[in-house]
Amino acid sequence: MKKHQSLNLTASIEKVKALLGKIYGYKTFIFFLAVASVYGFIIWRINYYSNTLPSQSEKTAQATPQPHIDANTIQKLQSLQDNSVSVQSLFDAARSNPFQE
């Protein structure tokens, strides 16, 4: 027959204290393992997220829209360029060197 073991709170507390006493000598090593495992997990997640490629839907969602210029604005610029000699030279200079101020 099985013996019925009763749970004794004081005996359990004494066992936990004895276990903590044994572990207390290794507290620095356990702390080092805990910190190293946290750093390892963070590096692993960074590596995982840095190597993932975006899906096709993410690529199309983040695509930059093409700039659009109104047709009326284009006509106004062309008429301005045709009517003024100084503006023509400004446009020509901007075409040859767009980064000059």
Side-chain angles (χ1 to χ4, degrees), residues 30-92:
I30 293 171
F31 176 75
F32 173 75
L33 284 179
V35 169
S37 61
V38 168
Y39 277 120
F41 177 75
I42 290 172
I43 290 171
W44 174 64
R45 294 308 289 178
I46 289 171
N47 187 29
Y48 173 76
Y49 284 121
S50 68
N51 290 333
T52 56
L53 297 175
S55 66
Q56 188 62 32
S57 62
E58 290 174 341
K59 287 180 185 177
T60 57
Q62 292 180 353
T64 57
Q66 293 294 325
H68 177 71
I69 300 175
D70 189 27
N72 292 334
T73 307
I74 293 172
Q75 289 175 355
K76 287 180 185 177
L77 286 173
Q78 286 176 347
S79 68
L80 179 64
Q81 181 182 3
D82 292 338
N83 293 335
S84 176
V85 176
S86 63
V87 174
Q88 278 183 336
S89 64
L90 181 66
F91 276 106
D92 290 336

